[in-house]
Amino acid sequence: MELERVRPAVLRGTFHAYELAALVAAARYVVDTAPDDVPAESLDQLAQLLADYDRQLRELASAAPAEG
């Protein structure tokens, strides 16, 4: 994994697919099984991040170049 600071509040990350998959799986686990003391707002933000990830992944899949 590599992180680069683009602007003070903006980072750019480069991940291997398995690294990103591990982070996404952990986030899904937290959203699904978080204890009651985790603020609902935090879970909502994480769920939105996962929804954005899923949307971007679908867009990548539909824009994949044809092989051959």
Side-chain angles (χ1 to χ4, degrees):
M1 169 178 34
E2 290 182 31
L3 293 176
E4 173 188 354
R5 186 170 303 281
V6 178
R7 292 188 300 271
V10 177
L11 299 175
R12 179 179 296 136
T14 303
F15 303 88
H16 287 278
Y18 68 88
E19 292 170 326
L20 186 56
L23 290 172
V24 170
R28 291 188 197 284
Y29 177 77
V30 169
V31 168
D32 292 341
T33 64
D36 293 337
D37 62 340
V38 175
E41 182 178 312
S42 296
L43 292 176
D44 290 343
Q45 289 174 343
L46 193 53
Q48 182 59 49
L49 184 139
L50 289 168
D52 290 346
Y53 170 82
D54 291 340
R55 180 181 50 79
Q56 288 288 318
L57 199 57
R58 282 191 302 275
E59 289 178 13
L60 280 176
S62 68
E67 292 186 32

